[in-house]
Amino acid sequence: MKLAWLLWMTSMLPQPLADQTCLATTVYLEARSESTIGQFAVAEVALRRRERGYYGKTVCDVVRAPRQFALSTTPTSFQVTNLKAFTKAWKIAGESMAIWKLPKTERVMVVPGADHFATTSISPKWATRAPLRTIGEHAFYAAN
């Protein structure tokens, strides 16, 4: 399925289904080749940004913010072809959203405090501190 279709679908779906679709698509684009814990970490960064009000009030707003996540930089003609990986991303998105409905004291966090991540092959200009944690090919940072 084309990314354009997924993005269109999110405009038609009710909340929180639209947010789960946006988050699953982000996890797929950013971390489909990573471990389960790495995928949860990517979802956690997006949900933390939403909770803090960075880049929007919904998950879709946050992950569509210009140049923040792959959802805003990947061509809409991109084909989501790995159904197994997308199904896993869907489950991780749903579980992550359920975790974020819990009181803060009851949430189990993978990358506490992280609000940014980057692949380990680059040194982002915004990373003024060492990463909080590296999981697979992603380094997770507390930038804000």
Side-chain angles (χ1 to χ4, degrees), residues 42-88:
V42 166
E44 186 177 313
V45 167
L47 291 167
R48 183 169 290 111
R49 285 187 182 193
R50 185 210 48 202
E51 183 175 77
R52 291 179 179 174
Y54 297 163
Y55 308 104
K57 294 182 181 182
T58 69
V59 174
C60 288
D61 291 341
V62 168
V63 298
R64 287 180 170 171
R67 297 175 310 280
Q68 296 302 307
F69 291 90
L71 197 57
S72 72
T73 60
T74 304
T76 57
S77 60
F78 178 85
Q79 291 279 347
V80 175
T81 57
N82 187 334
L83 186 56
K84 184 176 178 181
F86 190 82
T87 300
K88 181 179 179 182

Coordinates of all heavy atoms in Angstrom, one line a residue, residues 42-88:
V42 N 11.2 4.3 19.7 CA 10.8 5.3 18.6 C 9.4 5.8 18.9 O 9.1 7.0 18.9 CB 10.9 4.7 17.2 CG1 10.2 5.5 16.2 CG2 12.4 4.5 16.8
A43 N 8.5 4.9 19.2 CA 7.1 5.2 19.6 C 7.1 6.1 20.8 O 6.3 7.1 20.9 CB 6.2 4.0 19.8
E44 N 7.9 5.8 21.8 CA 8.0 6.5 23.0 C 8.4 8.0 22.8 O 7.8 8.9 23.4 CB 8.9 5.8 24.0 CG 9.0 6.4 25.4 CD 10.0 5.7 26.3 OE1 9.9 4.4 26.3 OE2 10.8 6.3 26.9
V45 N 9.3 8.2 21.9 CA 9.8 9.6 21.6 C 8.6 10.4 21.1 O 8.3 11.5 21.5 CB 11.0 9.6 20.7 CG1 11.2 11.0 20.1 CG2 12.2 9.1 21.4
A46 N 7.9 9.8 20.1 CA 6.7 10.5 19.5 C 5.6 10.8 20.6 O 5.1 11.9 20.6 CB 6.1 9.7 18.4
L47 N 5.4 9.8 21.4 CA 4.3 10.0 22.4 C 4.8 11.1 23.5 O 4.0 11.8 24.0 CB 4.0 8.7 23.1 CG 3.2 7.8 22.1 CD1 3.2 6.4 22.7 CD2 1.8 8.3 21.8
R48 N 6.1 11.1 23.8 CA 6.6 12.0 24.8 C 6.4 13.5 24.2 O 6.0 14.4 24.9 CB 8.0 11.7 25.1 CG 8.6 12.7 26.2 CD 9.9 12.2 26.8 NE 9.7 11.0 27.6 CZ 10.1 9.8 27.2 NH1 10.8 9.6 26.1 NH2 9.9 8.8 28.0
R49 N 6.7 13.6 22.9 CA 6.6 14.9 22.3 C 5.1 15.4 22.3 O 4.8 16.5 22.5 CB 7.1 14.9 20.9 CG 8.6 14.9 20.8 CD 9.0 15.0 19.3 NE 10.4 14.9 19.1 CZ 11.0 15.3 18.0 NH1 10.3 15.7 17.0 NH2 12.3 15.2 17.9
R50 N 4.2 14.4 22.0 CA 2.8 14.8 22.1 C 2.4 15.2 23.5 O 1.7 16.2 23.7 CB 1.9 13.6 21.6 CG 0.5 14.1 21.5 CD -0.6 13.0 21.8 NE -0.3 12.3 23.0 CZ -0.7 11.1 23.3 NH1 -1.5 10.5 22.4 NH2 -0.4 10.5 24.4
E51 N 2.8 14.5 24.5 CA 2.5 14.8 25.9 C 3.0 16.2 26.3 O 2.4 16.9 27.0 CB 3.0 13.7 26.8 CG 2.7 14.0 28.2 CD 3.1 12.8 29.1 OE1 4.3 12.7 29.4 OE2 2.3 12.0 29.5
R52 N 4.2 16.5 25.8 CA 4.8 17.8 26.1 C 4.3 18.9 25.2 O 4.6 20.1 25.5 CB 6.3 17.7 26.0 CG 7.0 16.8 27.0 CD 8.5 16.7 26.8 NE 9.1 15.9 27.8 CZ 10.4 15.6 27.7 NH1 11.2 16.0 26.8 NH2 10.9 14.8 28.7
G53 N 3.5 18.6 24.2 CA 3.0 19.6 23.4 C 3.9 20.1 22.2 O 3.7 21.1 21.6
Y54 N 5.0 19.3 22.0 CA 5.9 19.6 20.9 C 5.3 19.2 19.6 O 4.9 18.1 19.4 CB 7.2 18.8 21.1 CG 8.0 19.1 22.3 CD1 9.0 18.2 22.7 CD2 7.8 20.2 23.1 CE1 9.8 18.5 23.8 CE2 8.6 20.5 24.2 CZ 9.6 19.6 24.6 OH 10.3 19.8 25.7
Y55 N 5.2 20.2 18.7 CA 4.8 20.0 17.3 C 3.3 19.6 17.1 O 2.9 19.2 16.1 CB 5.7 18.9 16.7 CG 7.1 19.2 16.8 CD1 7.9 18.5 17.7 CD2 7.7 20.3 16.1 CE1 9.3 18.8 17.8 CE2 9.0 20.6 16.2 CZ 9.8 19.8 17.1 OH 11.2 20.1 17.2
G56 N 2.5 19.7 18.2 CA 1.0 19.4 18.0 C 0.4 18.7 19.1 O 1.1 18.2 20.1
K57 N -0.9 18.6 19.0 CA -1.7 18.0 20.1 C -2.0 16.5 19.9 O -2.5 15.8 20.8 CB -3.0 18.8 20.3 CG -2.8 20.2 20.8 CD -4.0 20.9 21.1 CE -3.8 22.3 21.6 NZ -5.0 23.1 21.8
T58 N -1.9 16.1 18.6 CA -2.2 14.7 18.3 C -0.9 14.0 17.9 O 0.1 14.7 17.5 CB -3.2 14.5 17.2 OG1 -2.6 15.0 16.0 CG2 -4.5 15.3 17.5
V59 N -0.9 12.7 17.9 CA 0.3 11.9 17.4 C 0.5 12.3 16.0 O 1.6 12.5 15.5 CB 0.1 10.4 17.7 CG1 1.3 9.7 17.0 CG2 0.1 10.1 19.2
C60 N -0.6 12.3 15.2 CA -0.4 12.6 13.8 C 0.2 14.0 13.5 O 1.1 14.1 12.7 CB -1.8 12.5 13.1 SG -2.4 10.8 12.9
D61 N -0.2 15.0 14.3 CA 0.5 16.3 14.2 C 2.0 16.2 14.5 O 2.8 16.8 13.8 CB -0.2 17.3 15.2 CG -1.6 17.7 14.8 OD1 -2.0 17.5 13.7 OD2 -2.3 18.2 15.8
V62 N 2.3 15.5 15.5 CA 3.7 15.4 16.0 C 4.6 14.7 14.9 O 5.6 15.2 14.5 CB 3.8 14.6 17.3 CG1 5.2 14.3 17.6 CG2 3.2 15.5 18.4
V63 N 4.1 13.6 14.4 CA 5.0 12.8 13.5 C 4.9 13.4 12.1 O 5.8 13.0 11.2 CB 4.6 11.3 13.5 CG1 4.9 10.7 14.8 CG2 3.2 11.0 13.0
R64 N 4.0 14.3 11.8 CA 3.9 14.9 10.5 C 4.6 16.3 10.5 O 4.8 16.9 9.4 CB 2.5 15.2 10.0 CG 1.8 13.9 9.6 CD 0.4 14.2 9.2 NE -0.2 13.1 8.5 CZ -1.5 13.1 8.2 NH1 -2.3 14.1 8.6 NH2 -2.0 12.0 7.6
A65 N 5.1 16.7 11.6 CA 5.8 18.0 11.7 C 7.0 18.0 10.8 O 7.7 17.0 10.7 CB 6.2 18.3 13.1
P66 N 7.2 19.1 10.1 CA 8.3 19.1 9.1 C 9.7 18.7 9.6 O 10.1 19.2 10.6 CB 8.3 20.6 8.6 CG 7.0 21.1 8.9 CD 6.5 20.3 10.1
R67 N 10.3 17.7 8.9 CA 11.6 17.2 9.2 C 11.8 16.7 10.6 O 13.0 16.7 11.1 CB 12.6 18.3 8.9 CG 12.6 18.7 7.4 CD 13.6 19.9 7.1 NE 13.4 21.0 8.0 CZ 12.5 22.0 7.9 NH1 11.6 21.9 6.9 NH2 12.4 23.0 8.7
Q68 N 10.8 16.2 11.3 CA 11.0 15.6 12.6 C 11.0 14.1 12.6 O 11.7 13.5 13.3 CB 9.8 16.1 13.5 CG 9.9 17.6 13.7 CD 11.2 18.1 14.3 OE1 11.6 17.6 15.3 NE2 11.8 19.0 13.7
F69 N 10.2 13.5 11.7 CA 10.1 12.0 11.6 C 10.0 11.7 10.1 O 9.7 12.5 9.3 CB 8.9 11.5 12.3 CG 8.9 11.6 13.8 CD1 8.4 12.7 14.5 CD2 9.5 10.6 14.6 CE1 8.5 12.8 15.9 CE2 9.5 10.7 16.0 CZ 9.0 11.8 16.6
A70 N 10.3 10.4 9.9 CA 10.3 10.0 8.5 C 9.0 10.2 7.8 O 8.9 10.3 6.5 CB 10.7 8.5 8.4
L71 N 7.9 10.2 8.5 CA 6.6 10.4 7.9 C 6.5 11.7 7.1 O 5.8 11.8 6.1 CB 5.5 10.4 8.9 CG 4.1 10.2 8.5 CD1 3.9 8.9 7.7 CD2 3.1 10.1 9.6
S72 N 7.3 12.7 7.5 CA 7.3 14.0 6.8 C 8.3 14.1 5.7 O 8.3 15.1 4.9 CB 7.5 15.2 7.8 OG 8.8 15.2 8.3
T73 N 9.3 13.2 5.6 CA 10.3 13.3 4.7 C 10.3 12.2 3.6 O 11.0 12.2 2.6 CB 11.7 13.2 5.4 OG1 11.8 12.0 6.1 CG2 11.9 14.4 6.3
T74 N 9.5 11.1 3.8 CA 9.4 10.0 2.9 C 8.4 10.4 1.8 O 7.3 10.9 2.1 CB 8.9 8.8 3.6 OG1 9.8 8.5 4.7 CG2 8.9 7.6 2.7
P75 N 8.8 10.1 0.5 CA 7.9 10.5 -0.6 C 6.5 9.7 -0.4 O 6.5 8.5 0.0 CB 8.6 10.0 -1.8 CG 10.0 9.9 -1.4 CD 10.1 9.6 0.1
T76 N 5.4 10.4 -0.7 CA 4.1 9.7 -0.5 C 3.9 8.6 -1.5 O 3.0 7.8 -1.3 CB 3.0 10.7 -0.7 OG1 3.1 11.4 -2.0 CG2 3.0 11.8 0.4
S77 N 4.8 8.4 -2.5 CA 4.7 7.3 -3.4 C 5.4 6.0 -2.8 O 5.3 5.0 -3.4 CB 5.4 7.7 -4.7 OG 6.8 8.0 -4.5
F78 N 6.0 6.2 -1.7 CA 6.7 5.0 -1.0 C 5.6 3.9 -0.8 O 4.5 4.2 -0.3 CB 7.3 5.5 0.3 CG 7.9 4.4 1.1 CD1 9.2 4.0 0.9 CD2 7.2 3.7 2.1 CE1 9.8 3.0 1.6 CE2 7.8 2.6 2.8 CZ 9.1 2.3 2.5
Q79 N 6.1 2.7 -1.1 CA 5.2 1.5 -0.9 C 5.5 0.8 0.4 O 6.7 0.5 0.7 CB 5.4 0.5 -2.0 CG 4.9 1.0 -3.4 CD 3.4 0.9 -3.5 OE1 2.7 0.2 -2.7 NE2 2.8 1.5 -4.5
V80 N 4.5 0.6 1.2 CA 4.6 -0.2 2.5 C 4.4 -1.6 2.0 O 3.3 -2.0 1.7 CB 3.6 0.3 3.5 CG1 3.7 -0.7 4.7 CG2 3.9 1.7 3.9
T81 N 5.5 -2.4 1.9 CA 5.4 -3.7 1.3 C 5.6 -4.9 2.3 O 5.2 -6.0 2.0 CB 6.5 -3.9 0.2 OG1 7.8 -3.6 0.8 CG2 6.2 -2.9 -0.9
N82 N 6.2 -4.6 3.4 CA 6.4 -5.6 4.4 C 5.2 -5.7 5.4 O 5.3 -5.0 6.4 CB 7.7 -5.4 5.1 CG 8.1 -6.5 6.0 OD1 7.3 -7.3 6.5 ND2 9.4 -6.7 6.2
L83 N 4.2 -6.5 5.1 CA 3.0 -6.5 5.9 C 3.3 -7.1 7.3 O 2.7 -6.6 8.3 CB 1.9 -7.4 5.2 CG 0.6 -7.4 5.9 CD1 0.0 -6.0 6.1 CD2 -0.4 -8.3 5.1
K84 N 4.2 -8.0 7.4 CA 4.6 -8.5 8.7 C 5.2 -7.4 9.6 O 4.8 -7.3 10.8 CB 5.6 -9.7 8.6 CG 5.9 -10.4 9.9 CD 6.8 -11.6 9.6 CE 7.2 -12.2 11.0 NZ 8.1 -13.4 10.8
A85 N 6.1 -6.6 9.0 CA 6.7 -5.5 9.8 C 5.6 -4.5 10.1 O 5.7 -3.9 11.2 CB 7.8 -4.9 9.0
F86 N 4.7 -4.2 9.2 CA 3.7 -3.2 9.5 C 2.7 -3.7 10.6 O 2.3 -2.9 11.5 CB 2.9 -2.8 8.3 CG 2.0 -1.6 8.5 CD1 2.6 -0.3 8.5 CD2 0.7 -1.7 8.9 CE1 1.8 0.8 8.8 CE2 -0.1 -0.6 9.2 CZ 0.5 0.7 9.1
T87 N 2.4 -5.0 10.6 CA 1.5 -5.5 11.6 C 2.2 -5.4 13.0 O 1.6 -5.1 14.0 CB 1.2 -7.0 11.3 OG1 0.5 -7.0 10.0 CG2 0.3 -7.6 12.3
K88 N 3.5 -5.7 13.0 CA 4.3 -5.6 14.3 C 4.2 -4.1 14.7 O 4.0 -3.8 15.9 CB 5.7 -6.1 14.1 CG 6.5 -6.0 15.4 CD 7.9 -6.5 15.2 CE 8.7 -6.4 16.5 NZ 10.1 -6.8 16.3

